[in-house]
Amino acid sequence: MKLSESGIGTMRINNLDEMYPAQDMLFQSGQLVQYASGIYGYNNIIMLVKRNLERIIEQELNKVGCIEIQLPTLQPDSIWKASGRFNKYVEDGVMFTVNSSDKGSLCLAPTAEEAVVEFAREKLKSYKHMPATYYQIGEKYRNEIRTRGYLLRGKSFLMMDAYSFDIDAEGLSNSYAKIREAYLNIAKRIGLNIIPVVADNGDMGGKRSEEFMLISPIGEDTILYDEESGVALNTEILEREDYEEYLEKEYGITDISKLKETKSIEVGHIFQLGTRYSQDMKANFIDKDGKEKPYYMGCYGIGVSRLVAAIYENSVIREADGKITGISLPKGIAPYKLQIIAKLDNEEKLNEANKLYELLQGKAILDDRENVSMGAKIKDCKILGTPYMAILGDKVESGEVELENTKTGEKQIVTIKEAVDIVNA
């Protein structure tokens, strides 16, 4: 991307939000555009970060045999009434509804259990068709009264939701374990400290669930966590009268005395739903004995837009005195790995900058804006979040660049070929 063609001018960032500085930088620099409370549009770089994250999620889910589909976000209220959840969602003010005719309303889906049951009943008519796990990545809508933290809690948000269908509880347990492993691999690939946390199923119903929490001081959730053993649970579990028996029976946890309160952000949640929705919606399959039985279902979600926000907030660059100077995205998730800054009045340096730009084939940003100082370009580079910055100025010889790791501030003088190799490694 060439900045002269991007519509991005010199960026002046003032009075950053202390709690969410990275997203405030996105907002002030025009990478995140607010339309209303909790409703945002994405500019090029953050959109591509989101797309890279989606690709990682898709790859890990595909590895464990999940099948990608697309369900409608605009749904008839009849399927929600069949599951018994319509009145609850409407009374709580969570669901957006539209009166469409005398026959009923349409709903903007806050989740998709009902829709996927309708989808599966036409495909999974026999025990021979299972196990099967479907997933999608798309918009969801919840009328959040208290939107918070830009993309961390909005009225419109991007979500990956997956649903497994099995013939019995053992099959459900196996499907659940596969998705759990995929979640851990996703966390590893994006380089965040995300851990599974024992949780309560709440309104979703079912038997067992775990939240995937990012340990973070800006999180609105409080969990109990022991870093040494890896045991963690949501404090809501302690509200159950049978929490000790529940923890031991379902998760093998017998001692929580070492667990300490820790702030975290929920970025995913997985559930063993059992037959909660299939029974209520009369969705059955024919078993090997020729009898009708309800599906055993699992439900699995990742807040994609929330995870994008968490990645950005986790990528803030701070100086020794705590001053925030920018963002440095993880190399594995950043769409542009390098930003190139050259003296435009030096034809040799400009030619070398263009050569480096062409060699990186879409992985670099070339700051070719006129009437912008080198100092302003360097500041802007760190706002846009590239992991590396290459400066072609008076300090380097012909065919060399000053390559800086924007996260650590480490600088080295390298050849153009060496810079390409480092960025592509």
Side-chain angles (χ1 to χ4, degrees):
M1 178 175 68
K2 293 184 177 180
L3 285 189
S4 64
E5 300 171 354
S6 70
I8 296 175
T10 302
M11 290 167 275
R12 292 179 174 83
I13 306 300
N14 300 303
N15 302 318
L16 283 175
D17 186 318
E18 292 183 5
M19 187 70 76
Y20 314 108
Q23 290 179 92
D24 198 4
M25 273 186 269
L26 294 176
F27 180 69
Q28 291 190 43
S29 64
Q31 285 296 306
L32 194 61
V33 180
Q34 185 174 31
Y35 287 82
S37 177
I39 303 174
Y40 294 93
Y42 294 25
N43 206 336
N44 177 259
I45 297 175
I46 185 173
M47 180 197 72
L48 294 177
V49 169
K50 173 180 69 67
R51 190 172 294 169
N52 284 345
L53 177 58
E54 290 173 9
R55 189 175 297 116
I56 289 170
I57 292 170
E58 289 166 359
Q59 289 170 351
E60 293 303 326
L61 291 178
N62 291 344
K63 282 182 186 177
V64 295
C66 298
I67 301 166
E68 186 172 11
I69 62 171
Q70 184 173 351
L71 301 169
T73 54
L74 188 63
Q75 302 172 359
D77 64 358
S78 57
I79 63 174
W80 285 80
K81 289 176 179 177
S83 72
R85 292 206 296 176
F86 180 76
N87 289 339
K88 170 70 173 171
Y89 270 75
V90 171
E91 289 169 4
D92 289 349
V94 173
M95 183 185 286
F96 293 102
T97 60
V98 180
N99 290 323
S100 60
S101 68
D102 294 338
K103 295 181 180 180
S105 300
L106 296 175
C107 317
L108 281 174
T111 181
E113 284 74 24
E114 287 77 3
V116 80
V117 168
E118 291 301 305
F119 180 91
R121 75 163 80 236
E122 298 301 319
K123 313 290 182 297
L124 309 177
K125 295 184 177 182
S126 165
Y127 73 96
K128 296 179 182 179
H129 301 149
M130 290 177 279
T133 300
Y134 301 115
Y135 78 94
Q136 62 175 353
I137 299 177
E139 287 289 316
K140 296 290 188 295
Y141 306 90
R142 292 179 188 171
N143 188 21
E144 295 281 0
I145 297 172
R146 187 174 65 89
T147 58
R148 176 183 179 273
Y150 300 87
L151 298 179
L152 287 173
R153 184 177 294 279
K155 294 178 183 290
S156 171
F157 55 95
L158 194 67
M159 182 178 178
M160 185 294 296
D161 46 322
Y163 307 90
S164 62
F165 292 82
D166 286 278
I167 63 173
D168 55 26
E170 182 180 357
L172 167 57
S173 181
N174 291 336
S175 294
Y176 182 94
K178 287 180 181 179
I179 303 295
R180 187 181 191 274
E181 185 64 26
Y183 274 42
L184 293 174
N185 288 336
I186 291 165
K188 190 180 300 181
R189 287 183 62 180
I190 61 179
L192 294 182
N193 185 19
I194 297 173
I195 60 170
V197 175
V198 174
D200 189 66
N201 281 26
D203 293 336
M204 293 296 292
K207 181 179 179 182
R208 177 175 179 170
S209 75
E210 290 171 282
E211 295 165 327
F212 281 74
M213 293 285 197
L214 170 64
I215 304 301
S216 170
I218 67 170
E220 65 177 352
D221 287 293
T222 300
I223 62 171
L224 298 176
Y225 177 47
D226 176 32
E227 187 174 359
E228 184 177 344
S229 67
V231 173
L233 57 92
N234 193 309
T235 54
E236 293 175 355
I237 288 289
L238 303 184
E239 297 174 10
R240 296 176 60 125
E241 291 184 4
D242 65 339
Y243 79 85
E244 291 180 328
E245 179 185 348
Y246 174 73
L247 289 173
E248 182 174 1
K249 180 180 178 182
E250 298 297 337
Y251 302 94
I253 298 173
T254 56
D255 181 13
I256 62 172
S257 61
K258 294 183 180 180
L259 276 56
K260 297 180 180 179
E261 288 194 355
T262 306
K263 302 296 286 184
S264 62
I265 300 170
E266 181 189 344
V267 295
H269 206 155
I270 59 178
F271 300 85
Q272 289 188 17
L273 299 174
T275 59
R276 151 80 167 90
Y277 292 89
S278 51
Q279 279 188 326
D280 288 350
M281 299 181 71
K282 297 179 174 57
N284 301 316
F285 68 95
I286 304 301
D287 72 5
K288 62 182 179 181
D289 297 322
K291 297 180 180 179
E292 284 195 355
K293 289 187 177 179
Y295 304 118
Y296 279 77
M297 290 178 58
C299 165
Y300 319 90
I302 293 177
V304 178
S305 49
R306 180 179 288 187
L307 196 45
V308 168
I311 289 169
Y312 267 99
E313 296 298 350
N314 200 61
S315 302
V316 167
I317 305 169
R318 295 180 187 271
E319 294 183 348
D321 61 1
K323 182 182 177 182
I324 294 171
T325 58
I327 299 164
S328 181
L329 291 166
K331 194 174 174 183
I333 206 84
Y336 302 109
K337 318 298 182 186
L338 174 73
Q339 186 156 320
I340 305 165
I341 299 169
K343 295 190 70 173
L344 300 185
D345 59 356
N346 185 317
E347 186 175 353
E348 181 187 17
K349 299 300 182 188
L350 187 55
N351 288 338
E352 290 173 348
N354 280 309
K355 178 183 177 182
L356 179 57
Y357 179 70
E358 293 298 328
L359 286 171
L360 284 167
Q361 299 180 343
K363 296 180 181 178
I365 297 173
L366 176 61
D367 193 341
D368 59 343
R369 296 173 297 174
E370 297 181 353
N371 303 317
V372 179
S373 71
M374 291 285 282
K377 289 182 178 183
I378 290 170
K379 287 183 179 179
D380 288 354
C381 169
K382 294 186 178 181
I383 292 170
L384 293 178
T386 54
Y388 293 99
M389 172 171 57
I391 300 176
L392 291 87
D394 296 332
K395 293 182 179 180
V396 293
E397 301 293 333
S398 176
E400 293 181 333
V401 303
E402 181 183 273
L403 188 68
E404 178 178 338
N405 180 316
T406 57
K407 185 70 173 178
T408 65
E410 180 185 355
K411 300 175 183 178
Q412 53 184 320
I413 304 299
V414 297
T415 65
I416 288 176
K417 182 183 181 305
E418 288 170 337
V420 171
D421 289 342
I422 291 169
V423 170
N424 283 332

PDB file of all heavy atoms in Angstrom, residues 332-345:
ATOM      1  N   GLY A 332       2.760 -12.344  12.910  1.00  0.00           N
ATOM      2  CA  GLY A 332       1.887 -13.354  12.325  1.00  0.00           C
ATOM      3  C   GLY A 332       0.498 -12.859  12.003  1.00  0.00           C
ATOM      4  O   GLY A 332      -0.247 -13.541  11.286  1.00  0.00           O
ATOM      5  N   ILE A 333       0.124 -11.699  12.505  1.00  0.00           N
ATOM      6  CA  ILE A 333      -1.238 -11.184  12.295  1.00  0.00           C
ATOM      7  C   ILE A 333      -1.244  -9.870  11.521  1.00  0.00           C
ATOM      8  O   ILE A 333      -2.260  -9.465  10.965  1.00  0.00           O
ATOM      9  CB  ILE A 333      -1.957 -11.006  13.654  1.00  0.00           C
ATOM     10  CG1 ILE A 333      -3.481 -11.114  13.501  1.00  0.00           C
ATOM     11  CG2 ILE A 333      -1.593  -9.715  14.331  1.00  0.00           C
ATOM     12  CD1 ILE A 333      -3.993 -12.508  13.507  1.00  0.00           C
ATOM     13  N   ALA A 334      -0.085  -9.189  11.457  1.00  0.00           N
ATOM     14  CA  ALA A 334      -0.002  -7.892  10.784  1.00  0.00           C
ATOM     15  C   ALA A 334      -0.106  -8.077   9.269  1.00  0.00           C
ATOM     16  O   ALA A 334       0.623  -8.882   8.695  1.00  0.00           O
ATOM     17  CB  ALA A 334       1.321  -7.203  11.119  1.00  0.00           C
ATOM     18  N   PRO A 335      -0.999  -7.340   8.599  1.00  0.00           N
ATOM     19  CA  PRO A 335      -1.107  -7.472   7.139  1.00  0.00           C
ATOM     20  C   PRO A 335       0.082  -6.866   6.407  1.00  0.00           C
ATOM     21  O   PRO A 335       0.502  -7.372   5.368  1.00  0.00           O
ATOM     22  CB  PRO A 335      -2.403  -6.724   6.814  1.00  0.00           C
ATOM     23  CG  PRO A 335      -2.589  -5.760   7.933  1.00  0.00           C
ATOM     24  CD  PRO A 335      -2.002  -6.422   9.144  1.00  0.00           C
ATOM     25  N   TYR A 336       0.596  -5.781   6.948  1.00  0.00           N
ATOM     26  CA  TYR A 336       1.798  -5.153   6.391  1.00  0.00           C
ATOM     27  C   TYR A 336       2.916  -5.303   7.425  1.00  0.00           C
ATOM     28  O   TYR A 336       2.788  -4.855   8.558  1.00  0.00           O
ATOM     29  CB  TYR A 336       1.545  -3.674   6.096  1.00  0.00           C
ATOM     30  CG  TYR A 336       0.392  -3.444   5.141  1.00  0.00           C
ATOM     31  CD1 TYR A 336      -0.817  -2.900   5.591  1.00  0.00           C
ATOM     32  CD2 TYR A 336       0.506  -3.772   3.796  1.00  0.00           C
ATOM     33  CE1 TYR A 336      -1.875  -2.706   4.720  1.00  0.00           C
ATOM     34  CE2 TYR A 336      -0.552  -3.569   2.917  1.00  0.00           C
ATOM     35  CZ  TYR A 336      -1.741  -3.037   3.390  1.00  0.00           C
ATOM     36  OH  TYR A 336      -2.798  -2.843   2.519  1.00  0.00           O
ATOM     37  N   LYS A 337       3.995  -5.945   7.029  1.00  0.00           N
ATOM     38  CA  LYS A 337       5.068  -6.262   7.973  1.00  0.00           C
ATOM     39  C   LYS A 337       6.064  -5.111   8.137  1.00  0.00           C
ATOM     40  O   LYS A 337       6.754  -5.024   9.146  1.00  0.00           O
ATOM     41  CB  LYS A 337       5.839  -7.504   7.511  1.00  0.00           C
ATOM     42  CG  LYS A 337       4.982  -8.647   6.979  1.00  0.00           C
ATOM     43  CD  LYS A 337       4.031  -9.201   7.995  1.00  0.00           C
ATOM     44  CE  LYS A 337       3.241 -10.378   7.409  1.00  0.00           C
ATOM     45  NZ  LYS A 337       2.193 -10.859   8.319  1.00  0.00           N
ATOM     46  N   LEU A 338       6.136  -4.233   7.122  1.00  0.00           N
ATOM     47  CA  LEU A 338       7.182  -3.215   7.090  1.00  0.00           C
ATOM     48  C   LEU A 338       6.624  -1.915   6.526  1.00  0.00           C
ATOM     49  O   LEU A 338       5.827  -1.932   5.582  1.00  0.00           O
ATOM     50  CB  LEU A 338       8.330  -3.691   6.192  1.00  0.00           C
ATOM     51  CG  LEU A 338       9.464  -2.704   5.911  1.00  0.00           C
ATOM     52  CD1 LEU A 338      10.330  -2.534   7.154  1.00  0.00           C
ATOM     53  CD2 LEU A 338      10.317  -3.180   4.737  1.00  0.00           C
ATOM     54  N   GLN A 339       7.028  -0.799   7.132  1.00  0.00           N
ATOM     55  CA  GLN A 339       6.727   0.509   6.554  1.00  0.00           C
ATOM     56  C   GLN A 339       8.041   1.147   6.108  1.00  0.00           C
ATOM     57  O   GLN A 339       9.017   1.173   6.862  1.00  0.00           O
ATOM     58  CB  GLN A 339       6.005   1.418   7.550  1.00  0.00           C
ATOM     59  CG  GLN A 339       5.551   2.721   6.910  1.00  0.00           C
ATOM     60  CD  GLN A 339       4.376   3.348   7.645  1.00  0.00           C
ATOM     61  OE1 GLN A 339       3.467   2.633   8.070  1.00  0.00           O
ATOM     62  NE2 GLN A 339       4.383   4.651   7.794  1.00  0.00           N
ATOM     63  N   ILE A 340       8.050   1.638   4.883  1.00  0.00           N
ATOM     64  CA  ILE A 340       9.261   2.173   4.264  1.00  0.00           C
ATOM     65  C   ILE A 340       9.194   3.692   4.226  1.00  0.00           C
ATOM     66  O   ILE A 340       8.220   4.272   3.724  1.00  0.00           O
ATOM     67  CB  ILE A 340       9.433   1.615   2.840  1.00  0.00           C
ATOM     68  CG1 ILE A 340       9.415   0.082   2.855  1.00  0.00           C
ATOM     69  CG2 ILE A 340      10.723   2.143   2.210  1.00  0.00           C
ATOM     70  CD1 ILE A 340       9.206  -0.544   1.487  1.00  0.00           C
ATOM     71  N   ILE A 341      10.238   4.310   4.757  1.00  0.00           N
ATOM     72  CA  ILE A 341      10.315   5.769   4.817  1.00  0.00           C
ATOM     73  C   ILE A 341      11.611   6.211   4.140  1.00  0.00           C
ATOM     74  O   ILE A 341      12.697   5.757   4.522  1.00  0.00           O
ATOM     75  CB  ILE A 341      10.275   6.262   6.274  1.00  0.00           C
ATOM     76  CG1 ILE A 341       8.948   5.847   6.935  1.00  0.00           C
ATOM     77  CG2 ILE A 341      10.460   7.777   6.345  1.00  0.00           C
ATOM     78  CD1 ILE A 341       8.922   6.043   8.429  1.00  0.00           C
ATOM     79  N   ALA A 342      11.494   7.042   3.119  1.00  0.00           N
ATOM     80  CA  ALA A 342      12.677   7.492   2.385  1.00  0.00           C
ATOM     81  C   ALA A 342      12.605   8.988   2.129  1.00  0.00           C
ATOM     82  O   ALA A 342      11.515   9.584   2.119  1.00  0.00           O
ATOM     83  CB  ALA A 342      12.787   6.742   1.059  1.00  0.00           C
ATOM     84  N   LYS A 343      13.759   9.592   1.900  1.00  0.00           N
ATOM     85  CA  LYS A 343      13.815  11.009   1.549  1.00  0.00           C
ATOM     86  C   LYS A 343      13.366  11.155   0.102  1.00  0.00           C
ATOM     87  O   LYS A 343      14.000  10.642  -0.827  1.00  0.00           O
ATOM     88  CB  LYS A 343      15.237  11.549   1.724  1.00  0.00           C
ATOM     89  CG  LYS A 343      15.725  11.549   3.173  1.00  0.00           C
ATOM     90  CD  LYS A 343      17.022  12.310   3.334  1.00  0.00           C
ATOM     91  CE  LYS A 343      16.797  13.802   3.151  1.00  0.00           C
ATOM     92  NZ  LYS A 343      18.030  14.590   3.480  1.00  0.00           N
ATOM     93  N   LEU A 344      12.258  11.838  -0.110  1.00  0.00           N
ATOM     94  CA  LEU A 344      11.695  11.941  -1.452  1.00  0.00           C
ATOM     95  C   LEU A 344      12.536  12.819  -2.367  1.00  0.00           C
ATOM     96  O   LEU A 344      12.435  12.716  -3.593  1.00  0.00           O
ATOM     97  CB  LEU A 344      10.261  12.476  -1.378  1.00  0.00           C
ATOM     98  CG  LEU A 344       9.257  11.629  -0.580  1.00  0.00           C
ATOM     99  CD1 LEU A 344       7.855  12.209  -0.707  1.00  0.00           C
ATOM    100  CD2 LEU A 344       9.275  10.177  -1.024  1.00  0.00           C
ATOM    101  N   ASP A 345      13.362  13.708  -1.778  1.00  0.00           N
ATOM    102  CA  ASP A 345      14.187  14.588  -2.604  1.00  0.00           C
ATOM    103  C   ASP A 345      15.520  13.946  -2.978  1.00  0.00           C
ATOM    104  O   ASP A 345      16.378  14.577  -3.598  1.00  0.00           O
ATOM    105  CB  ASP A 345      14.429  15.922  -1.899  1.00  0.00           C
ATOM    106  CG  ASP A 345      15.127  15.770  -0.548  1.00  0.00           C
ATOM    107  OD1 ASP A 345      15.353  14.607  -0.141  1.00  0.00           O
ATOM    108  OD2 ASP A 345      15.430  16.788   0.090  1.00  0.00           O
TER     109      ASP A 345
END
